[in-house]
Amino acid sequence: MSAPDTGPLAPVHTALFRGLAVVLPNPAPLTCVVAATAPEAVNRAKNRPADQPVALWTHHPRTAARVLRALDLAADTAEIARRLLTDERVTVLAPLRADHAPPPWLAPATHEGWTLLFGARWGPLRPVLDPHPVLYVSSANRTGLPPAPTAARARAMFPDDVPVLDPAALPGTGADSTDTADRAPRAATTTVRLHPDGRMELHRSGAQDGPYSDADAYLEHLRTAHGPGTAP
């Protein structure tokens, strides 16, 4: 498949098909992310070592299914992982099975037996994401700087050879336009570590746990909403 060469999405399509990094928007309360089909491109855009681990963006159902089979999680806990990724839009740190060879493209997101997954599948971004079942992703920031909450902030932070997609170029973005995003507080995703026994641990604070009084209150919310036995 070749990238479209016209329209507001053309620079992002072209860069992704060439293996280069792009900055993409997310719905509130999340910041922008930098993504690419090659993990080294993500790291270069962020001005950090090329071999640094990145998250795998499990936006594609087929990719997500293969990853879930590689995790050291019982079926009900794997379902919790899926819900955390898709419903809560958090980043999940999950254990890999020792008796199962994971897909080779999972290696850049793996460190010491744990893999880092991001699963948000925002509808307006599907035309950009769907042609690329395997994408690597990280917060849209250069080393030492906070993640960019808006396209304008990202353009000021990243070099000109990293295309930045403004949400206004996407159909159906509604309140997630650039102007609204400038006024709304945003943060990088919360990271939740999910253990083989289903226990959840707050690994990194972020957008989703911010409104809660502390980590315990947020984790209790997740257990109530997504723990074993809850309805999908």
Side-chain angles (χ1 to χ4, degrees):
M1 182 184 299
S2 60
D5 57 4
T6 60
L9 301 183
V12 169
H13 277 300
T14 300
L16 286 175
F17 277 97
R18 291 178 177 174
L20 304 176
V22 300
V23 173
L24 301 175
N26 272 306
L30 303 181
T31 55
C32 298
V33 293
V34 57
T37 58
E40 298 85 359
V42 171
N43 286 322
R44 282 195 298 268
K46 290 171 67 76
N47 195 31
R48 67 187 192 183
D51 59 352
Q52 187 163 325
V54 294
L56 178 76
W57 198 341
T58 58
H59 69 89
H60 197 285
R62 186 169 64 248
T63 302
R66 290 193 65 186
V67 170
L68 289 175
R69 287 196 296 269
L71 300 181
D72 186 15
L73 301 175
D76 58 348
T77 308
E79 174 60 18
I80 293 172
R82 185 191 66 78
R83 290 192 223 165
L84 291 176
L85 290 165
T86 58
D87 299 351
E88 297 288 337
R89 291 173 170 161
V90 299
T91 300
V92 173
L93 192 57
L96 288 174
R97 292 168 51 184
D99 63 343
H100 178 86
W105 38 259
L106 194 53
T110 299
H111 181 65
E112 296 182 349
W114 292 82
T115 189
L116 192 63
L117 308 171
F118 178 64
R121 185 173 169 83
W122 188 33
L125 266 183
R126 288 186 58 180
V128 175
L129 302 179
D130 283 355
H132 308 283
V134 174
L135 279 174
Y136 301 96
V137 64
S138 185
S139 298
N141 67 294
R142 301 275 280 178
T143 298
L145 298 175
T150 65
R153 300 275 188 90
R155 287 193 189 95
M157 187 185 307
F158 285 87
D160 292 340
D161 60 354
V162 178
V164 176
L165 179 61
D166 195 309
L170 297 169
T173 53
D176 286 293
S177 68
T178 303
D179 290 343
T180 300
D182 279 328
R183 297 193 298 270
R186 295 190 176 225
T189 60
T190 294
T191 301
V192 175
R193 186 187 293 268
L194 187 58
H195 292 266
D197 60 4
R199 180 168 50 91
M200 300 181 207
E201 176 185 352
L202 185 63
H203 180 77
R204 186 191 70 181
S205 185
Q208 290 90 338
D209 67 286
Y212 292 83
S213 59
D214 55 28
D216 289 339
Y218 178 63
L219 293 173
E220 180 58 30
H221 154 71
L222 294 182
R223 285 189 290 266
T224 300
H226 304 291
T230 56

